């Protein structure tokens, strides 16, 4: 005989038996298999840890914020510090970006500067430019925010042109260097019939094969277009050129390509002829640093349409 | 509700266990396995492997900074993580397989907790002596000798623990460099923290928590029950042979009293205490001489004669201990043995033993084996057919397409080219399509890009459909990109879609 406790299945338990907790439900008694004491200590330790943590770190919410914690720890301050640190790391690159000739910044020749500029430009673009030009820089046609991905540039798509536009804006009264152009609103000047003729003529300019559907896939009236040439030469060619291919110096759009800033349907073109439209862009040189402007120019240029 | 006059204790102090030294085939096997596993663990990071100048020359290296995993001649990139996932699944299935066949063999022989605890016990035995000496020391007052022995033991444990934590970090960086940095105080904080934490856990778990980890902290004992059934081979006591037990004078009296032996009806393999049976006195004594050898050697501190227990890790040390006793008293070995539950009825009926293989080969284990091998074969095949260049294509969908001034439609893609070879390579980019689509690379005049050895290149690619191409008017056109390594003509492909204007 051993005095070891017998196997549970064979044990006949009494009420209050030291090996049970004394609990019983429907005759089923609960064994007492105590946890080790260190387990209990660990449990107490977690409680102490938890309390200490809320004292040391920001924790308890109040009405206008949370307790600061005696360690004065703040993630915000930490982030600010990090940003400062990285800014400092990039200071050289930023200076370089203001001094260098933009066209010489390429992936092959200056990969570090090129990558930095593209990343910085993308960040600036997302923050400041995407509101109008869209996150993907595709613009909003109905509102006349130009698509920056295509190869059609009202004011030129070279790095210098883009940089100029970003720095000084378009039709921006506060900046004497801003680009400026104006188109006459022809309602009242031309008769309705003349307007209809010139609208269709303008649409026909980008129809190479003359089948009544132009490069932007819009159908137009070929007979009306045929009679619109004189109206165009008299009223529009001064800016858009005799061939209708525009003038970048004046900011007059090329009418022979497939891209229409405000849409290429007959209604949209007519609206432009009747009432004229003026897109405005703010000058960024005051708000963004020179390095940021240059980086953004490089970024926009890299989107696929840069010249 | 029962009365509460004997308030139960909810928490108990740890009862120390002093396992006795044991000799035998299972113990030898355990030694061998311990030397092997610890050897593999400590030595592996120091094996060198020449991969050329630009790559690390450590045979097994988890290069977190560059996101590479090197395993001898194999190099795993992050996008090939399925290899690691596959190996983990195999490890899981392997564990299922072994548990369903042989119970807690993992726990008894290969689990790090067991291996290090065993090592720590060995150290303890060297320094403080075997079971009886340790028991005496434990009860004794804290005099100089006790302090000396304890402190020596703790120092040796600590050295082992530091080496254990240290070995771990060597898998993540060049071992000789890291060792020098660690010693000169120049290693990264995370390295010291890792060594510190692993040292602490090894020291505490192996030295002090021991079997408590297996009983209270490890989830595996709870899960394994789902893999075991009555054919699973585990360590068990042949109580139908051993009972009633007795020793010395009592045993002799029992034998004399046993004029006729009457076998107990239906005792279970769980073991039957003599006191609980009806007529043990007239029975001839069983083979168990109640010497407690099996209990004294058990690292989990249990008595296997009480039957299968959650604590038992099937380390078989009690088998070795009892076999030695059986040899001494001239009885056949195997009073404690690896048995399946189904063996009991069979052996009681006096039938021949069921061969071990019959227990092991059953549908459950065969299915586990089949699954395990299938994944293994799949991984090996994948290893051999994977190419050393790779391509993924991500379409830029904001906007889906751009109309150019001549009416062409242009889509933009970000192509990632991985050069997994050890040499710089030039790739030509092109596409296959039934429609005439043109490719153009951002920032590059021709269609060639250079990717340095063992690196990834992200390249923006434009695909253009002229107005007269059908793809410009169609809503979507499927096509595939390819990159071709200049010189070897090896190609990788990536399928994607071209978005056109759609019918207007
Ligand atoms: S009972 Fe035997 S097999 Fe189980 S843990 Fe103890 S010594 Fe190992
Ligand atoms: S070692 Fe064998 S003989 Fe000794 S008590 Fe254990 S089972 Fe009985």
């Amino acid at each position: 005989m051993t005095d070891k406790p017998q196997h549970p299945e064979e044990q006949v338990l009494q009420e209050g038996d030291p090996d049970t907790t004394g609990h019983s439900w429907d005759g089923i008694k609960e064994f007492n298999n105590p946890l080790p004491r260190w387990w209990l200590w660990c449990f107490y330790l977690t409680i102490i840890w938890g309390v200490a943590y809320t004292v040391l770190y920001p924790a308890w919410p109040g009405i206008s914020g949370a307790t600061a914690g005696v360690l004065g720890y703040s993630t915000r301050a930490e982030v600010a510090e990090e940003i400062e640190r990285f800014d400092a790391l990039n200071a050289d690159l930023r200076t370089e970006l203001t001094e260098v000739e933009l066209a010489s910044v390429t992936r092959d020749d200056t990969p570090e500067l090129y990558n930095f500029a593209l990343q910085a430009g993308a960040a600036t673009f997302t923050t400041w430019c995407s509101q109008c030009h869209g996150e993907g820089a595709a613009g909003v046609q109905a509102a006349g925010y130009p698509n920056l991905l295509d190869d059609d540039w009202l004011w030129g798509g070279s790095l210098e042109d883009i940089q100029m536009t970003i720095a000084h804006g378009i039709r921006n009264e506060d900046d004497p260097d801003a680009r400026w152009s104006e188109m006459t609103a022809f309602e009242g000047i031309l008769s309705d019939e003349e307007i209809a003729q010139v609208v269709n003529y303008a649409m026909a300019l980008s129809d190479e094969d003359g089948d009544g559907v132009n490069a932007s896939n819009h159908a137009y009236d070929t007979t009306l277009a045929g009679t619109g040439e004189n109206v165009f030469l008299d009223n529009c060619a001064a800016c858009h050129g005799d061939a209708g291919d525009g003038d970048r110096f004046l900011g007059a759009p090329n009418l022979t390509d497939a891209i229409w800033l405000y849409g290429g349907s007959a209604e949209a073109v007519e609206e432009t002829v009747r009432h004229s439209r003026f897109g405005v862009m703010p000058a960024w040189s005051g708000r963004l640093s020179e390095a940021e402007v240059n980086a953004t120019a490089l970024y926009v240029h890299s989107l696929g349409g840069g010249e | 509700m029962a009365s509460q006059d004997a308030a139960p204790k909810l928490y108990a102090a740890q009862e120390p266990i002093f396992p006795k030294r044991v000799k035998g085939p299972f113990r030898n096997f355990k030694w061998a396995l311990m030397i092997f596993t610890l050897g593999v663990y400590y030595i592996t990071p120091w094996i060198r492997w020449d991969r050329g100048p630009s790559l690390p020359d450590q045979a097994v290296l988890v290069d977190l900074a560059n996101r590479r995993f090197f395993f001898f001649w194999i190099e795993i990139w992050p996008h090939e993580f399925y290899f690691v996932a596959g190996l983990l699944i195999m490890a899981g299935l392997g564990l299922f397989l072994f548990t369903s066949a042989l119970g807690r063999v993992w726990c008894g022989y290969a689990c790090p907790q067991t291996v290090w605890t065993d090592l720590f016990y060995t150290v303890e035995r060297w320094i403080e002596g075997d079971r009886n000496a340790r028991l005496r020391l434990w009860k004794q007052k804290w005099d100089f000798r006790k302090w000396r022995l304890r402190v020596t033991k703790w120092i040796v444990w600590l050295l082992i623990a530091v080496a254990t934590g240290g070995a771990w970090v060597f898998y993540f960086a060049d071992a000789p460099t890291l060792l020098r940095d660690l010693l000169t105080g120049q290693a990264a904080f995370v390295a010291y923290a890792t060594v510190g934490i692993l040292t602490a856990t090894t020291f505490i778990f192996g030295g002090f928590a021991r079997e408590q980890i297996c009983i209270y902290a490890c989830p595996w004992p709870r899960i394994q029950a789902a893999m075991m059934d009555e054919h699973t081979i585990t360590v068990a006591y042949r109580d139908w042979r051993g009972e009633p037990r007795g020793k010395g004078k009592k045993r002799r009296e029992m034998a004399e009293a046993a004029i006729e032996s009457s076998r107990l009806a239906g005792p279970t393999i769980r073991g039957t205490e003599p006191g609980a049976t009806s007529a043990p006195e007239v029975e001839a004594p069983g083979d168990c001489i109640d010497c407690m050898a099996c209990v004294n050697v058990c690292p989990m501190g249990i008595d296997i004669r009480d039957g299968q227990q959650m604590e038992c890790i099937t380390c078989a040390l009690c088998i070795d201990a009892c076999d030695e006793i059986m040899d001494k008293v001239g009885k056949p070995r195997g009073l404690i043995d690896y048995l399946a539950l189904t063996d009991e009825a069979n052996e009681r009926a006096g039938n021949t033993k069921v061969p071990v293989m019959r227990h092991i080969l059953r549908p459950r284990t065969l299915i586990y084996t089949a699954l395990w091998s299938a994944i293994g074969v799949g991984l090996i095949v994948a290893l051999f057919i994977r190419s050393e260049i790779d391509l993924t294509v991500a379409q830029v969908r904001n906007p889906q397409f751009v109309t150019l001034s001549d009416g062409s439609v242009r889509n933009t893609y970000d192509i990632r080219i991985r050069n997994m070879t050890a040499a710089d390579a030039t790739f030509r980019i092109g596409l296959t399509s039934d429609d005439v689509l043109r490719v153009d690379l951002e920032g590059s005049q021709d269609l060639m890009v250079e990717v340095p050895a063992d690196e990834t290149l992200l390249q923006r690619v434009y695909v253009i459909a002229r107005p007269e191409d059908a793809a410009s008017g169609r809503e979507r056109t499927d096509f595939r990109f390819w990159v071709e390594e200049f010189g070897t003509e090896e190609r990788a492909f990536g399928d994607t879609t071209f978005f056109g204007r759609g019918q207007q």
Side-chain angles (χ1 to χ4, degrees):
Chain A
M1 288 281 288
T2 61
D3 50 5
K4 277 181 64 67
Q6 295 175 327
H7 193 273
E9 276 176 22
E10 291 147 20
Q11 200 166 29
V12 183
L13 294 172
Q14 309 296 320
E15 299 261 306
D17 189 307
D19 269 335
T20 71
T21 60
H23 302 158
S24 119
W25 294 271
D26 289 346
I28 299 169
K29 294 168 185 88
E30 184 186 10
F31 256 96
N32 177 30
N33 286 314
L35 276 173
R37 202 165 44 199
W38 58 268
W39 200 260
L40 181 70
W41 289 343
C42 287
F43 178 59
Y44 289 152
L45 221 63
T46 57
I47 295 174
I48 294 169
W49 174 276
V51 172
Y53 199 91
T54 61
V55 173
L56 294 175
Y57 289 93
W60 301 108
I63 289 168
S64 57
T67 52
V70 296
L71 291 185
Y73 174 81
S74 153
T75 38
R76 237 170 236 256
E78 233 170 51
V79 170
E81 221 169 82
E82 288 251 303
I83 292 176
E84 221 168 274
R85 198 156 56 79
F86 282 109
D87 271 351
L89 284 179
N90 288 329
D92 287 349
L93 286 171
R94 224 174 298 114
T95 325
E96 207 180 330
L97 207 50
T98 59
E99 288 161 356
V100 82
E101 180 160 351
L102 287 187
S104 69
V105 182
T106 63
R107 181 162 74 192
D108 293 335
D109 298 340
T110 52
E112 202 194 357
L113 190 60
Y114 180 81
N115 277 332
F116 172 73
L118 252 43
Q119 301 293 334
T124 313
F125 187 90
T126 318
T127 315
W128 301 104
C129 316
S130 63
Q131 283 85 346
C132 294
H133 292 284
E135 188 84 15
V140 183
Q141 198 171 52
Y145 298 130
N147 184 339
L148 305 177
L149 303 169
D150 60 26
D151 56 350
D152 191 33
W153 296 90
L154 202 48
W155 301 97
S158 70
L159 274 164
E160 279 68 35
D161 286 335
I162 296 173
Q163 195 249 21
M164 171 87 180
T165 305
I166 297 172
H168 303 290
I170 306 284
R171 291 187 198 89
N172 168 30
E173 313 215 336
D174 303 331
D175 191 329
D177 292 335
R179 289 175 150 147
W180 205 280
S181 75
E182 217 159 300
M183 172 165 157
T184 317
F186 284 99
E187 194 168 54
I189 297 173
L190 296 178
S191 69
D192 284 358
E193 202 202 331
E194 284 170 320
I195 288 179
Q197 287 170 346
V198 83
V199 163
N200 283 284
Y201 178 76
M203 291 178 73
L205 285 171
S206 57
D207 182 10
E208 264 178 30
D209 46 11
D211 61 355
V213 176
N214 69 5
S216 62
N217 243 14
H218 290 94
Y220 64 94
D221 188 323
T222 41
T223 22
L224 277 174
T227 58
E229 184 166 6
N230 282 333
V231 185
F232 184 85
L233 289 176
D234 289 348
N235 298 285
C236 316
C239 294
H240 291 285
D242 287 353
D245 52 5
D247 185 338
R248 280 184 177 173
F249 185 70
L250 302 170
N254 181 351
L255 305 177
T256 64
D257 62 19
I259 297 169
W260 299 82
L261 185 49
Y262 292 91
S265 68
E267 298 77 47
V269 178
E270 188 180 331
E271 169 74 21
T272 306
V273 173
R274 276 185 192 278
H275 305 292
S276 169
R277 322 207 201 204
F278 306 116
V280 176
M281 166 160 158
W284 292 100
S285 57
R287 267 192 256 195
L288 301 179
S289 71
E290 202 183 333
E292 280 173 316
V293 170
N294 288 353
T296 313
L298 277 161
Y299 171 70
V300 171
H301 189 264
S302 80
L303 288 174
E307 290 168 349
Chain B
M1 288 298 281
S3 63
Q4 293 289 319
D5 41 22
K9 260 174 62 186
L10 293 177
Y11 299 94
Q14 176 184 359
E15 269 185 49
I17 298 167
F18 306 95
K20 203 170 144 64
R21 181 154 165 251
V22 59
K23 280 191 207 139
F26 290 108
R27 181 63 259 190
N28 289 341
F29 178 62
K30 226 164 127 70
W31 285 131
L33 212 60
M34 184 207 270
I35 291 167
F36 174 73
T37 49
L38 289 178
V40 167
Y41 175 71
Y42 288 120
I43 293 168
T44 305
W46 297 92
I47 306 173
R48 303 289 97 187
W49 196 267
D50 188 13
R51 292 191 181 85
S54 62
L55 293 173
D57 55 0
Q58 185 155 320
V60 177
L61 180 68
V62 183
D63 190 352
L64 288 179
N66 298 309
R67 285 180 284 176
R68 299 279 187 282
F69 174 54
F70 299 96
F71 187 82
F72 295 93
W73 66 97
I74 302 169
E75 184 184 333
I76 306 274
W77 283 47
H79 70 285
E80 296 173 308
F81 201 74
Y82 57 85
F83 278 114
V84 180
L87 287 176
L88 287 176
I89 295 172
M90 281 178 78
L93 280 175
L95 202 50
F96 293 178
L97 170 63
F98 271 94
T99 307
S100 70
L102 298 167
R104 291 178 75 177
V105 271
W106 165 260
C107 304
Y109 297 94
C111 174
Q113 173 66 19
T114 292
V115 172
W116 266 283
T117 303
D118 213 17
L119 181 63
F120 277 33
Y121 268 136
T122 311
V123 170
E124 186 169 283
R125 205 169 285 132
W126 276 341
I127 293 171
E128 298 180 347
D130 206 5
R131 179 179 157 85
N132 292 336
R134 264 148 57 215
L135 249 172
R136 238 178 293 123
L137 188 70
W138 187 66
K139 289 193 185 127
Q140 173 190 329
K141 271 220 247 1
W142 281 89
D143 59 5
F144 174 73
R145 183 173 158 273
K146 184 162 174 172
W147 273 112
R148 182 174 53 91
L149 293 177
R150 278 289 140 93
V151 171
T152 320
K153 178 176 83 175
W154 290 337
I155 288 174
V156 179
W157 279 358
L158 204 59
L159 289 176
I160 296 173
V162 171
T164 305
W168 180 258
V169 292
F170 291 147
Y171 284 87
F172 296 85
D174 184 58
T177 321
L178 181 60
L179 180 64
R180 204 193 51 223
D181 288 352
L182 279 171
L183 294 178
T184 54
Q186 288 168 348
F189 171 74
V190 62
Y192 289 109
T194 311
V195 174
I197 290 171
L198 289 179
T199 301
T201 49
T202 310
F203 187 66
I204 294 169
F205 289 2
F208 301 94
R210 297 179 169 177
E211 80 287 346
Q212 306 245 324
I213 294 295
C214 308
I215 300 171
Y216 298 101
C218 178
W220 183 235
R222 280 87 192 161
I223 301 167
Q224 49 145 358
M227 273 122 237
M228 292 169 66
D229 56 29
E230 66 277 15
H231 288 285
T232 303
I233 293 175
T234 56
V235 173
Y237 164 69
R238 287 194 159 95
D239 64 347
W240 55 94
R241 189 186 128 189
E243 300 297 323
R245 66 183 81 148
K247 61 178 165 199
K249 186 159 163 263
K250 189 170 146 221
R251 187 178 177 82
R252 256 174 276 125
E253 284 168 7
M254 229 198 294
E256 282 158 15
I259 302 152
E260 270 178 9
S261 69
S262 57
R263 281 287 181 209
L264 284 168
T268 66
I269 199 169
R270 284 220 144 81
T272 308
E273 293 288 339
T277 58
S278 47
E281 280 84 4
V282 294
E283 214 179 338
D287 284 352
C288 175
I289 60 166
D290 210 4
C291 62
M292 299 295 274
C294 53
V295 179
N296 292 343
V297 299
C298 177
M300 303 300 288
I302 55 170
D303 185 346
I304 190 64
R305 295 171 302 170
D306 290 342
Q308 254 193 354
Q309 284 150 78
M310 184 194 80
E311 289 90 339
C312 175
I313 55 171
T314 68
C315 64
L317 296 185
C318 52
I319 301 183
D320 278 347
C322 186
D323 280 350
E324 207 183 323
I325 302 294
M326 289 298 112
D327 287 353
K328 268 191 202 141
V329 299
K331 293 267 166 58
R333 292 174 157 223
L335 179 53
I336 303 177
D337 205 353
Y338 269 114
L339 291 176
L341 279 180
T342 47
D343 282 342
E344 185 192 351
N346 188 47
E347 286 191 18
R348 268 182 204 285
N351 297 336
T352 48
K353 266 195 81 166
V354 178
V356 171
M357 269 338 227
R358 190 101 66 75
H359 282 308
I360 290 178
L361 298 178
R362 50 188 212 274
R364 187 186 193 117
T365 55
L366 294 179
I367 290 169
Y368 285 141
T369 312
L371 287 174
W372 187 86
S373 328
I375 297 173
V377 169
L379 287 183
I380 290 171
V381 170
L383 198 61
F384 278 104
I385 62 170
R386 71 179 185 154
S387 79
E388 297 217 296
I389 57 175
D390 188 64
L391 169 73
T392 42
V393 180
Q395 187 163 25
V396 178
R397 298 204 178 184
N398 178 16
Q400 274 192 336
F401 65 85
V402 174
T403 310
L404 300 183
S405 53
D406 64 353
S408 309
V409 172
R410 189 183 68 194
N411 281 206
T412 309
Y413 304 84
D414 283 330
I415 289 191
R416 205 176 276 280
I417 304 167
R418 300 186 187 87
N419 175 13
M420 296 189 259
T421 62
D424 299 357
T426 307
F427 294 96
R428 205 155 64 84
I429 298 180
L431 50 80
T432 27
S433 143
D434 299 335
D435 299 278
V436 200
L437 295 171
R438 218 152 45 77
V439 206
D440 211 353
L441 304 190
E442 161 64 25
S444 167
Q445 296 307 312
D446 47 18
L447 296 177
M448 306 283 226
V449 288
E450 212 165 293
V451 189
D454 211 44
E455 291 222 4
T456 298
L457 177 86
L458 185 64
Q459 172 68 48
R460 181 155 277 212
V461 179
Y462 304 111
V463 174
I464 298 158
R466 283 163 304 188
E468 60 268 28
D469 298 339
S472 70
R474 215 180 290 139
E475 193 140 357
R476 45 194 304 157
T477 308
D478 292 330
F479 71 98
R480 87 188 328 198
F481 277 109
W482 49 255
V483 292
E484 185 176 79
E485 190 182 345
F486 201 72
T488 66
E489 255 74 81
E490 202 188 325
R491 276 191 179 196
F493 297 94
D495 290 318
T496 185
T497 306
F498 183 89
F499 291 104
R501 228 181 268 117
Q503 293 308 321
Q504 281 179 351

